[in-house]
Amino acid sequence: MDSIFIVRKSLIYLGYVVLFINVILYSITYKQKSIAYKYLYFFLLLSLIIQIISSYLAFKKINNLFFFHVFTIGQYILMSLFFSTVLTNQVIKTILKYSCIILPITLIVVFCFKPDLLFRFNSIEILVFSIPLIISSFVFFIEKIDSKNKKYIYFNSGFFLYLICSTLLFSAGNIQTTTTRLLWLLNSFIYLCYQVLIVVEWNKIFRKNKKLEQQV
């Protein structure tokens, strides 16, 4: 095994460890009233479950691309609901609310007619399901620039960077070059940073809740 592969695998598994920690942390404060927080928690839980199953199947040398599609659909639904809750732009909110129903159903219908696609990468699928979330994430940044409420800004920063990087790489498919392998290494590092930012986001929320409890 070459050094790039070893470093990338180490970053990936470290990212999974931090993801597991995030699920535990966010479950601790799950009872708070924020609907957006609950969408975020279920998104993290979905990510952890899919990662565990996919890693196990990969270890057994079984095609796990089916669960990639499950994650793509689940991520789109949960993150669309999340952004439709935290954004104020009514146009984006409306598009997300309808598309989180229409796009998954459309994809499921396609799989029903072409089940062989369940075990293949589909660049169009990745782009269609990622671009609306990237735009929503960018709009969230714009809305938070002049706002005193910076809640979810750390999570959104990590999500935005990772989604752009992973979308470009997954869209490239199975093309293997030295540059691509280095980009995958960078993607693994960004994923780890993304998970760390989610920890930071939880810490901010937890500390804010503690302050509110002390004031009561």
Side-chain angles (χ1 to χ4, degrees), residues 143-151 153 208:
E143 291 186 352
K144 289 295 181 180
I145 290 177
D146 297 322
S147 173
K148 292 182 179 180
N149 180 12
K150 302 297 183 182
K151 192 173 183 179
I153 194 69
K208 183 177 180 180

Side-chain angles (χ1 to χ4, degrees), residues 4 176-183:
I4 293 179
Q176 291 293 328
T177 65
T178 302
T179 302
T180 304
R181 291 175 71 237
L182 289 172
L183 288 175

Side-chain angles (χ1 to χ4, degrees), residues 84-109:
S84 66
T85 302
V86 298
L87 291 175
T88 59
N89 187 300
Q90 291 300 319
V91 175
I92 299 295
K93 286 165 70 77
T94 302
I95 291 173
L96 289 174
K97 286 179 180 178
Y98 284 105
S99 66
C100 76
I101 298 173
I102 295 172
L103 288 183
I105 290 177
T106 301
L107 185 60
I108 291 171
V109 170

Side-chain angles (χ1 to χ4, degrees), residues 8 22 73 82 89 99 125 136 173 176 180 184 190 213:
R8 181 178 170 234
N22 279 328
I73 293 173
F82 171 81
N89 187 300
S99 66
E125 172 193 342
S136 300
Q176 291 293 328
T180 304
W184 275 112
I190 291 175
E213 290 175 1

Side-chain angles (χ1 to χ4, degrees), residues 13 30 34 50 57 62 90 117 121 126 137 174 186-187:
Y13 287 120
Y30 176 79
S34 171
I50 295 296
L57 292 177
I62 300 173
Q90 291 300 319
L117 293 177
F121 267 122
I126 295 167
S137 182
N174 295 318
L186 175 62
N187 184 66

